[in-house]
Amino acid sequence: MKTPLLEAIRKRTLLGDGAMGTQLMLAGLEQGNCGEAWNLTHPERVLAIQQRYAAAGSDCILTNTFGGSRIMLRRHHHDGDVEALNRAGVEIARQAFAGRDGYVIGDIGPFGGLMEPYGDFLESDVRAAFDEQAAALVNAGADAIIIETQTSLEELSLGIAAARQAGAPCVIGSLAYDVTLDGSTFRTMMGIDPERAAAFMEEQGADIVALNCGTGMDMERARQAALRYRAVTSLPVMVQPNAGLPKLVRMKVVYDETPEQMVAGVGPLLDAGVSILGACCGSTPDHIRAFRKAMDEHEKQAL
Ligand SMILES: [Zn+2]
């Protein structure tokens, strides 16, 4: 029987995967279309991407369900497919490991709006959407749930509660920070700093505190955030930094840090005590392969 994720990370750092959205575009998904629907319409393309991550050495793969909540899917008229599409997401990620032990992390992204009183979404609707998605992912056999790219504690708490209630074996809360204009620090769009986020997630019953994406959050900023998390909580830390800083090229945001550039940050992140290391926007199977090599070498040196 496979070692549970939370037990495995006590022994070694696990490697996550890289970006999904950009890989889906490369595979033919058009901007603005529903990538999650591909779990049902083009499962072989989703599988091919995740197989590349598995082959690159990922220990954990996130399901292609970032926008798989009812509220997100409604925008694409796929809200009748919540259960099927999340289930398929877990099954495809599992298949990518081709029988080898690997961890499927059910991915829940933001619902894509603001709740009352700042916006026009009812908290009860958001809660119901997260509950539904988390249940579908856990029932399909996800080893963990990640609530990622979060900027507000209110939304994050609904996601964590949903994962807990669904009986997720491991719950990961992940925030997206933006580096401040003067470059001195980083906080989420809603003004949350890493210390407050980590304390809050622990209080809410998360098992792992994480960060992903954001603006300006490269490997070094991720290291700083990991240290700030570790200063206030004993919970394990996961990071998924972007491939460098965003640049505007032909009216499109691109992240172009190469695997060679990004991999220089792996050792320092491991020394900072990170338990799961993956990557976000702009990263590719080549980045993950470079991470694998660096992590294996780092582990050998530590022996
Ligand atoms: Zn990202």
Side-chain angles (χ1 to χ4, degrees):
M1 223 182 73
K2 192 171 70 183
T3 313
L5 178 61
L6 283 170
E7 215 174 290
I9 57 174
R10 282 204 289 268
K11 298 192 188 87
R12 67 185 181 103
T13 301
L14 297 181
L15 177 59
D17 62 5
M20 174 55 83
T22 39
Q23 294 293 310
L24 289 170
M25 302 276 188
L26 284 175
L29 180 73
E30 280 176 48
Q31 190 110 37
N33 284 5
C34 183
E36 290 77 13
W38 274 23
N39 292 346
L40 299 174
T41 58
H42 300 84
E44 71 291 344
R45 295 192 200 171
V46 178
L47 177 63
I49 294 166
Q50 293 182 329
Q51 278 172 332
R52 285 199 285 277
Y53 282 125
S58 292
D59 301 303
C60 310
I61 289 180
L62 270 63
T63 57
N64 178 38
T65 56
F66 181 84
S69 67
R70 175 169 296 270
I71 296 172
M72 286 296 277
L73 292 176
R74 193 184 294 143
R75 300 187 174 104
H76 301 284
H77 311 288
H78 284 295
D79 45 325
D81 300 326
V82 176
E83 213 272 338
L85 183 156
N86 281 282
R87 166 168 298 280
V90 172
E91 288 168 355
I92 296 165
R94 182 74 69 205
Q95 209 184 327
F97 285 116
R100 119 171 122 85
D101 276 357
Y103 298 96
V104 173
I105 301 181
D107 191 6
I108 299 180
F111 74 88
L114 291 173
M115 284 187 283
E116 287 187 321
Y118 308 105
D120 35 50
F121 285 89
L122 293 176
E123 185 186 298
S124 56
D125 288 344
V126 177
R127 183 191 306 274
F130 283 163
D131 284 354
E132 181 184 32
Q133 188 182 10
L137 291 166
V138 171
N139 292 340
D143 298 299
I145 296 285
I146 186 167
I147 299 100
E148 66 170 356
T149 322
Q150 294 293 311
T151 58
S152 96
L153 297 183
E154 292 75 20
E155 184 176 347
L156 177 60
S157 80
L158 295 178
I160 292 172
R164 278 266 86 91
Q165 193 184 300
C170 168
V171 180
I172 307 167
S174 187
L175 289 104
Y177 299 104
D178 302 326
V179 175
T180 53
L181 278 179
D182 67 1
S184 62
T185 187
F186 41 84
R187 57 178 78 97
T188 74
M189 195 174 67
M190 305 299 276
I192 312 299
D193 65 29
E195 288 80 6
R196 178 139 177 254
F200 179 81
M201 288 189 277
E202 183 160 18
E203 208 177 274
Q204 298 288 310
D207 299 303
I208 297 177
V209 293
L211 71 101
N212 72 287
C213 212
T215 306
M217 296 301 292
D218 56 9
M219 296 290 271
E220 170 53 21
R221 295 290 185 169
R223 189 188 70 88
Q224 293 168 12
L227 292 175
R228 289 173 67 177
Y229 276 170
R230 295 199 66 204
V232 295
T233 178
S234 56
L235 291 180
V237 175
M238 171 175 179
V239 300
Q240 301 180 94
N242 290 330
L245 310 183
K247 295 188 185 106
L248 204 58
V249 177
R250 275 180 252 112
M251 296 313 285
K252 273 175 83 180
V253 178
V254 298
Y255 297 82
D256 60 1
E257 206 171 52
T258 64
E260 294 72 27
Q261 291 167 325
M262 211 178 173
V263 80
V266 168
L269 265 169
L270 297 176
D271 292 337
V274 162
S275 295
I276 305 178
L277 170 59
C280 203
C281 295
S283 60
T284 67
D286 289 338
H287 291 81
I288 294 303
R289 190 172 303 105
F291 279 22
R292 175 83 274 163
K293 194 162 163 260
M295 285 171 69
D296 290 349
E297 277 163 14
H298 193 272
E299 199 174 330
K300 254 186 253 157
Q301 278 164 15
L303 290 177

